Amino acid sequence: MQLAEIDARPRKPAFQLTSAETILGDIRRLVAGQDPKSAASRGIVLQHVRSVLADARTGAEAELMATGKGTRCAMNLSAAEDEIIRAVHHFAVRDVYPVDNPSGAEMISIAAVGGYGRGTLAPGSDIDLLFILPYKQTPWGEQITEYILYMLWDLGQKVGHAVRSVDDCIRMARSDMTVRTATLEARYLTGDRKLFDELVRRFESEIMPKTGPEFIAAKMAERDERHRQMGNTRYVVEPNIKDGKGGLRDLHALFWIGKYFYRVKSSAELVGKGVLSAEEYRLFQRAEDFLWAIRCNLHFLTGRADEKLTFDVQPDLAQRLGYNDRAGMLGVERFMKRYFLVAKDVGDLTRIFCTSLEFDHAKPLDMVGRVLAPFKRGKVSIKGETDFVIEGGRLNVAGPEVFQKDPRNLIKGFMLAGRHDAHLHPDAIKLIRRSFKLIGHDLRNDKQANAWFLEILTAPTYVERILRQMNEAGVLGRFVPEFGKIVALMQFNMYHHYTVDEHLIRAVGVMADIANGGLREQLPLTHELLPHLNDTRLLYVALFLHDIAKGRPEDHSIAGARVARRFCPRLGLDPAETDTVSWLVEHHLLMSEIAQSRDIQDPETARSFADVVQSPQRLALLMILTACDIRAVGPGVWTGWKGSLLRALYYATEPLLSGGHSQVTQRDRIEAAKTVLRGALSAWPAPEVDTYVGRHYDHYWLRAEPELQVEHARMIRAADQAGQMFAGSIRVKSFESITEVSFYTPDHPRLLSLIAGACTMADASIIGAQIFGTRDGRAVDTFRLRRSFTSDEDEKVRATRIIDTVKQLLQGKRQVLIDLGKESRHNKRLKPFTLPAQVAVSNTISEKFTVIEVMGLDRTGLLHQLTRQISDLNLTIGSAHIGTYGEKAVDVFYVTDLTGHKIESKSRQKKIHDALLAVFQGGDEKAAKVANG
């Protein structure tokens, strides 16, 4: 039985099926005159069968490329495998090990099971076979089994097999759900037909009756566990085509359950059973065909059984499937959008199927369900509502005319489901899907419908759940057409983990989590700010809209602000509220960009940021929105370090907006910092403290955090007392998820480059650096490394290794290769991406420094090469801010010339620009292979 039945059509000439009898006849001609048991004969058989298999695969691939029909390709490959196995079996039984008068024990039946049992195979699929015996295994049976298996293994196929009697199959199917599923899918291939028929008869009469709920519960549990392992969302940007949520395995689960519970022989029969409508069945067929097309193309493309759509294969797959670039969207993004829409369709079908089962009492209730079942059966009215009822614990429509009578109920129903903490009844879902035509201009502009939607959008207890249900049901993208444009839209980059619509819903969900008291430890400042906001509703609306204009040719922030100005009045927001939301959408990236790529200790950073923000209320709103946005990007993207940068920028900017900072002069700040350090070093003799404080330039007191100043003081004092010219110190900061490594050494023109090289050699990712020099010619540099280990001790071990490597590099005992990391795993993963490099040299961002901002495709060893080039340009780095957004590197350097002044000369600025651009364009590779400065 096939998952989806394809209309019988004339076969395309690209694929020609060679029958088992034809293969057998060819084999007999080729081995004529030789002993069929001989090694020579076996080699001839193997060579011929290999040729038949190769021709079949070539033909199947050619037909797939010509027609795009994935299910047909999988069926072709399965049919070719059937004929090969039949031919090999016939040759083994009739020619190699013939039996003149076989006994009752000398019978064997071969069945296909697993995916192969469904009559579909991908090029790299396992061949799962069941050898069915009447009783125990016999020597003849062993010979036949081994001949077939070794032939298939020598063909290079992955064969899973079991050899069992009918009694064994039935006994194991009672206790082992895997065996039960395999037996359910068994399909006769060759051999004794009566044996196979007996197995099917006994399985259907002894196993299947009265075990439907048990089987379905097991399959649902397997599905839930599989989804959990795959991230429990179908919207990850590198999905698993087979086992991921919305993948082929979910369709297989429907097949198993349909056959087991509804006793259907084809998926089309589910329509007759009332489980799927004719339209939903067509959706089933289209989804299956598309997923098989991807899977078969993926296996043909990679030459192996890959099931994950990784970034490196997505562009080639898009090209094979005919997706070209369009304005605002790459071909690969159009292909992946189609994939996610199909995965969503699979989710819809699964939901319809499973809820139908639940109300057919197939799924056993859990313990709580059993207790509440007597109270949930039947319809329970909702106070004040005539169009909706609670039925079986789910929200259902009171009648089939509810939406036709009042289309606003399409929004109201979701609002009620949220209020009453209820899921939608399958009948309600079906009626919603059949009422899409009612969601038009009038409903979108209805005051009450928009008021209900705003209530959903700003209800922290249920907003994420209901928005996702609205999106899954297809209502959200129709009620908000701008949202519909980004449904299932992925961005071809390594930074974003989810599709745009899923990211927006998760961002709103993070805000709801904060409002419900969650994430207090991870986001302490947001909890401090939230009670002081005039209207938190604006945050929910802004988060819902902040990326809504992705996938357009223009800047999505500016286009999104335009969408907000149109959409907010629909929700009933006044002009001032609309202006605030549109401002937040337009500037939703600003705070993150400044915090991660600017020197926050530089007063000019806060001043320029304050000029844009202009009010404390907007600053607080932007702070919370930024935190929610980053946390919703994907697992591990938010770190305590990013949080600390955002807090530092907030605290530096807030006094400028509230009027509390203008009276503090730079000299006051320097003296205040010195006073704080003196207090921390109170155990030192006062003259020693005075001497130490005098060693640092003024900018040190303005830019180094107080805790770091104390760490430096202790490191420098210990080194000086020990008479050491080089020293290092380590500070693991668990909350920020970073490790700080500081160095104290005589200054060296390529010191920063050598440290960056040492970090790369230790597989450490640098996210920031502060560079200081003392009045007596020593360098005090601190590097911040992204945390890689769960244990603080492991972090310290790696940091110690980096310190030792830097020392050896400075002593000339070790060398850094120019092509450091060239063949790294990270670099290989970046191969599918192209990103134009950009270099900007600016004197307006900082009063004291020239700021160089470098953007381009990341690679292992990039920072080492950039800093080496900056050193060769005779520039002094004051601070470095290292950002990586997936495949994109954004590195910012605050520099001066060797005399401590800005780079004012235009010609020198151009020289800097061209030299750093050449690092991305390979201009550095002509240099010597080893560079140690």
Side-chain angles (χ1 to χ4, degrees), residues 281-300:
Y281 172 63
R282 286 193 292 272
L283 190 67
F284 187 107
Q285 287 182 302
R286 289 195 298 269
E288 183 196 16
D289 193 61
F290 182 74
L291 291 175
W292 269 117
I294 295 176
R295 192 178 183 211
C296 290
N297 270 298
L298 180 60
H299 286 198
F300 280 129

Side-chain angles (χ1 to χ4, degrees), residues 3 137 229 252 305 322 330 573 620 765 788 806 890:
L3 270 173
Q137 179 67 282
Q229 292 178 0
H252 297 166
L330 299 172
L573 300 189
S765 177
S788 296
V806 171
V890 181

